[in-house]
Amino acid sequence: MNGLLLDEAPVQTAGETCSLDHYLVQPDETMDARIAAAREKLGAEAIVLGHHYQRDEVIRFADFTGDSYKLSKAAAETNARYMVFCGVHFMAETADVLAQPWQQVILPDLNAGCSMADMAEIGQVEDCWESLERQGVTAGKGILPLTYMNSAANIKAFCGERGGLVCTSSNSQGAFEWAFARAEKILFLPDQHLGRNTAFAMGIPLSEMVVWDPYQINGGVTPDRLRAAKVILWKGHCSVHQRFLPEHVDRVRREEPGMQVVVHPECRWEVCQKADAMGSTERIIELIEKAPEGASFAVGTEIHLVNRLAKRFAPLGKRVITLDESGCLCTTMYRISPQHLAWTLENLVERRVVNRIKVNTEEKHWAHVALDRMLEIKR
Ligand code: 13P
Ligand code: SF4
């Protein structure tokens, strides 16, 4: 949770409306009417942003739904005073970086983090960069740092300050092209899989990629390998998407001939290679939307989105199943409950801002630079 400053003055007082515990013991369905009433009272003053991995009981109240890219654009463009972010911590931080000074961003549960984002800590990344400097990799047109959106604001700032940028799973190729027009190598943080899948799709062979392990001396990479590498991949991953395996694709091919396998690029390279298509959550939705009646899909991404797609497209004659029968759940996305959303909104109605996410000024500046570079590249 680097870079987080909770609101200095959340103005939280004792009382029924304020106590989260009081909400947490209430059943889900009793929250619907309360959330709707609070939304109505707040009107245009507040917007609810919802990532596709949110549960149905929460996302149905979102004014905007989307992938990380679309939500960051919505955050940059809205005029609402309050943004209630139903997603995870790095998304709320990004919204705060892009927000106007008079806007406030709220994360309904502060425990909604991202294990992948936590795999790159600023001290480790600084150590890595120092090692690259010592080895002469950063000199001249040497290397640019590029971070996946799924990282803390201080990592985004680190990249912005060193001429690099941010990308999401929907514009990673554009971001790689941007970086390669300016430098010979890329340090890609923190998701090795997105980095590998993107670089490989651009024609960079695996032999020109190395994995930097922050727990080993000099990342565990020999100077020769480092010199030959075009892409240095940070050793991070998404524990949800890493559960999809090549044998899951093989099973679908065997048992469901004709079914298309569509996966998120946070999945392993071996899985993406076997799939028919890969793309961000928004791209996966678009693919299914555009498919003709009778098409069927095995989808390798978070289970709430897959289940929602299955329900939505069944009446249109399209079948959607999960690639892994045991279903991959993002437990931190799941932390945003209807109770947390109701608590947040009803407090706002009472003019109390709870769980504000606020990035400190210096980090904000450079993270903004890195995000602006991303927003300018083609998707
Ligand atoms: P997108 O929604 O950008 O595809 O990202 C998926 C994700 O892991 C969000 O945490
Ligand atoms: Fe992080 Fe993976 Fe969950 Fe996305 S799905 S929020 S990358 S843990």
Side-chain angles (χ1 to χ4, degrees):
M1 299 272 170
N2 293 327
L4 166 71
L5 282 177
L6 292 186
D7 190 18
E8 299 88 346
V11 217
Q12 194 168 333
T13 59
E16 192 170 88
T17 324
C18 237
S19 161
L20 176 59
D21 290 348
H22 172 81
Y23 287 74
L24 294 179
V25 294
Q26 309 292 325
D28 282 5
E29 59 280 10
T30 61
M31 293 295 118
D32 283 8
R34 292 175 67 165
I35 294 171
R39 286 289 300 108
E40 182 143 0
K41 280 188 197 138
L42 289 162
E45 242 193 332
I47 58 160
V48 178
L49 301 167
H51 186 267
H52 291 308
Y53 295 161
Q54 291 293 301
R55 23 175 145 167
D56 290 2
E57 312 86 72
V58 169
I59 206 156
R60 73 167 70 115
F61 292 104
D63 300 292
F64 289 93
T65 61
D67 62 4
S68 306
Y69 180 83
K70 209 170 145 191
L71 292 175
S72 66
K73 290 233 8 142
E77 286 163 12
T78 181
N79 283 323
R81 183 166 157 74
Y82 304 111
M83 289 184 237
V84 179
F85 216 119
C86 298
V88 285
H89 189 265
F90 70 80
M91 296 179 178
E93 273 193 335
T94 301
D96 184 58
V97 169
L98 296 171
Q100 300 300 319
W102 46 269
Q103 293 179 304
Q104 298 188 36
V105 180
I106 292 155
L107 182 65
D109 184 348
L110 293 178
N111 290 312
C114 165
S115 54
M116 177 204 284
D118 293 342
M119 287 176 197
E121 287 174 12
I122 190 65
Q124 297 174 320
V125 175
E126 283 166 350
D127 287 350
C128 164
W129 198 254
E130 261 172 49
S131 170
L132 297 178
E133 276 172 345
R134 266 198 316 277
Q135 298 184 65
V137 178
T138 55
K141 278 191 75 182
I143 186 161
L144 278 183
L146 203 172
T147 188
Y148 190 21
M149 182 69 94
N150 302 27
S151 56
N154 55 12
I155 302 290
K156 293 184 177 80
F158 176 94
C159 293
E161 197 172 357
R162 285 157 189 81
L165 74 164
V166 177
C167 72
T168 70
S169 52
S170 67
N171 59 16
S172 55
Q173 187 153 338
F176 269 60
E177 283 162 6
W178 188 96
F180 277 133
R182 291 160 178 82
E184 283 157 12
K185 295 180 197 284
I186 288 175
L187 168 65
F188 189 75
L189 305 153
D191 184 13
Q192 58 169 306
H193 300 304
L194 176 65
R196 188 177 293 112
N197 288 324
T198 305
F200 192 80
M202 292 170 71
I204 299 172
L206 295 183
S207 57
E208 291 181 16
M209 303 180 211
V210 288
V211 177
W212 186 278
D213 181 349
Y215 294 99
Q216 289 197 40
I217 294 167
N218 288 334
V221 184
T222 62
D224 281 356
R225 292 269 292 129
L226 197 60
R227 218 168 298 123
K230 274 187 85 68
V231 182
I232 301 168
L233 303 164
W234 191 261
K235 196 176 179 193
H237 63 265
C238 165
S239 24
V240 179
H241 289 90
Q242 203 167 261
R243 285 180 48 193
F244 295 106
L245 300 172
E247 41 271 41
H248 296 141
V249 185
D250 295 341
R251 185 187 54 79
V252 170
R253 301 283 186 227
R254 223 174 27 247
E255 296 173 10
E256 304 276 0
M259 183 171 264
Q260 294 178 58
V261 176
V262 185
V263 299
H264 195 279
E266 287 173 17
C267 294
R268 298 161 197 266
W269 178 81
E270 295 82 352
V271 172
C272 294
Q273 286 304 299
K274 285 188 171 226
D276 298 297
M278 77 176 176
S280 74
T281 52
E282 198 67 26
R283 170 103 182 97
I284 292 172
I285 298 168
E286 276 166 21
L287 266 170
I288 302 173
E289 272 171 353
K290 288 186 181 144
E293 194 180 338
S296 59
F297 297 88
V299 178
T301 198
E302 209 273 343
I303 193 65
H304 284 88
L305 174 58
V306 180
N307 286 343
R308 199 151 45 238
L309 291 172
K311 232 186 271 169
R312 175 178 159 198
F313 288 104
L316 302 172
K318 302 181 202 178
R319 188 165 157 242
V320 178
I321 62 166
T322 174
L323 180 58
D324 172 6
E325 280 170 327
S326 64
C328 290
L329 169 89
C330 178
T331 50
T332 48
M333 284 274 183
Y334 190 75
R335 292 200 76 102
I336 308 291
S337 65
Q339 290 79 357
H340 284 94
L341 182 57
W343 173 68
T344 308
L345 293 172
E346 288 187 351
N347 270 291
L348 273 184
V349 169
E350 301 294 327
R351 301 284 136 204
R352 284 186 291 258
V353 176
V354 291
N355 286 7
R356 183 175 176 192
I357 299 298
K358 202 164 183 282
V359 175
N360 75 48
T361 314
E362 203 195 332
E363 277 171 13
K364 204 176 224 182
H365 170 77
W366 286 113
H368 209 312
V369 170
L371 284 162
D372 282 346
R373 288 182 185 135
M374 176 193 85
L375 292 169
E376 278 160 26
I377 59 170
K378 76 167 174 58
R379 237 181 136 187

